[in-house]
Amino acid sequence: NSAFLSSISHDMRTPLNGILGFTDLALHTADNDKKQEYLTKIATSGQLMLNLVNDVLDLSKIESGKMELKKEIFPIADFVNGIVVSVQQNARAKDIILTGDVQTGDFVYIREDRTKLQQIMLNILSNAIKYTPNHGWVKFTLKNYPTDEQGYNTLMIFTDNGIGMSSEFLPHIFEPFSQEHAKDADKVEGIGLGMSIVKRIVDLMGGTIEVQSTKDEGTTFTVRLFVEKVEGPVV
């Protein structure tokens, strides 16, 4: 629809202008240090553009009912540690204390859609770091347990002491292009597609996602899922 196209066009223009502007500067300087700096900025803008295109493609697949779960067997603890390691650098850059509490119980291997589980966790953790000011903290808990009455056996909790969200914005967090334009979030890049995709993936996996947030105090996301516990990889 026109609102979707208008939003996408506007948000694609920002990194594209960055790519073209810094390319022009790089082409017209003989200073190697400057050239390197411009190339780094081009790479950053290019990555932002790629993330945007991937998000749009994901959303379009979900909306058209073409997104499917592709399950594979993998060790849950190694998988979670890999995710924490991948966001650790972003946390360090802002002096944010990132702590993880992983309680896998007797779950060693699971059969699940690895990429989609990764999208859920990376999106929420990256957002927590992004919207938490310098010297703040982000906590992450994953717990596997015997299947409960609701049919879930996995709980993930992501908590931060970041900028939080207003009670007016909270009901809209999982809508495409929803992003609260708080003064603290002015320098945050992105277009608010991430949480919309997370919600749809959680739905596709038969789980639930809840959010609690207080302006200027922080946010907590709680995800409940059923994951298939398996004995080990098929040799």
Side-chain angles (χ1 to χ4, degrees), residues 78-88 117-118 121-122 125:
D78 289 354
F79 167 78
V80 175
N81 288 336
I83 297 228
V84 173
V85 166
S86 70
V87 296
Q88 190 82 54
L117 196 55
Q118 184 172 298
M121 295 171 68
L122 270 181
L125 270 178

Side-chain angles (χ1 to χ4, degrees), residues 103-121:
Q103 305 170 33
T104 53
D106 61 353
F107 284 60
V108 180
Y109 289 93
I110 64 168
R111 189 201 312 270
E112 203 41 80
D113 189 315
R114 187 181 189 129
T115 306
K116 295 198 177 45
L117 196 55
Q118 184 172 298
Q119 269 182 293
I120 293 171
M121 295 171 68

Side-chain angles (χ1 to χ4, degrees), residues 199-223:
K199 172 73 168 81
R200 284 159 169 78
I201 291 173
V202 170
D203 288 348
L204 186 67
M205 293 173 77
T208 64
I209 181 167
E210 294 163 15
V211 57
Q212 292 172 300
S213 190
T214 306
K215 194 90 175 134
D216 300 321
E217 287 183 23
T219 302
T220 296
F221 281 96
T222 305
V223 178

Side-chain angles (χ1 to χ4, degrees), residues 170-186:
L170 218 47
H172 304 288
I173 181 151
F174 297 121
E175 294 170 10
F177 302 109
S178 62
Q179 199 173 39
E180 188 167 38
H181 294 289
K183 64 182 189 313
D184 312 296
D186 283 350

Side-chain angles (χ1 to χ4, degrees), residues 75-188:
I76 180 73
D78 289 354
F79 167 78
V80 175
N81 288 336
I83 297 228
V84 173
V85 166
S86 70
V87 296
Q88 190 82 54
Q89 192 49 47
N90 288 355
R92 278 201 198 106
K94 294 177 71 177
D95 261 338
I96 287 171
I97 297 166
L98 176 64
T99 53
D101 178 14
V102 182
Q103 305 170 33
T104 53
D106 61 353
F107 284 60
V108 180
Y109 289 93
I110 64 168
R111 189 201 312 270
E112 203 41 80
D113 189 315
R114 187 181 189 129
T115 306
K116 295 198 177 45
L117 196 55
Q118 184 172 298
Q119 269 182 293
I120 293 171
M121 295 171 68
L122 270 181
N123 249 304
I124 301 176
L125 270 178
S126 300
N127 262 9
I129 293 165
K130 199 190 285 186
Y131 291 105
T132 296
N134 291 5
H135 316 296
W137 54 261
V138 173
K139 292 177 185 169
F140 159 67
T141 302
L142 178 135
K143 188 177 180 185
N144 294 122
Y145 50 87
T147 307
D148 63 19
E149 289 174 7
Q150 284 78 42
Y152 305 125
N153 62 8
T154 303
L155 171 71
M156 293 188 282
I157 303 170
F158 308 81
T159 307
D160 64 64
N161 68 337
I163 62 174
M165 290 169 270
S166 65
S167 53
E168 294 79 26
F169 174 73
L170 218 47
H172 304 288
I173 181 151
F174 297 121
E175 294 170 10
F177 302 109
S178 62
Q179 199 173 39
E180 188 167 38
H181 294 289
K183 64 182 189 313
D184 312 296
D186 283 350
K187 292 177 183 171
V188 175

Side-chain angles (χ1 to χ4, degrees), residues 20-34:
L20 294 173
F22 287 119
T23 300
D24 189 54
L25 289 169
L27 287 170
H28 291 93
T29 182
D31 184 329
N32 275 335
D33 288 344
K34 282 279 181 201

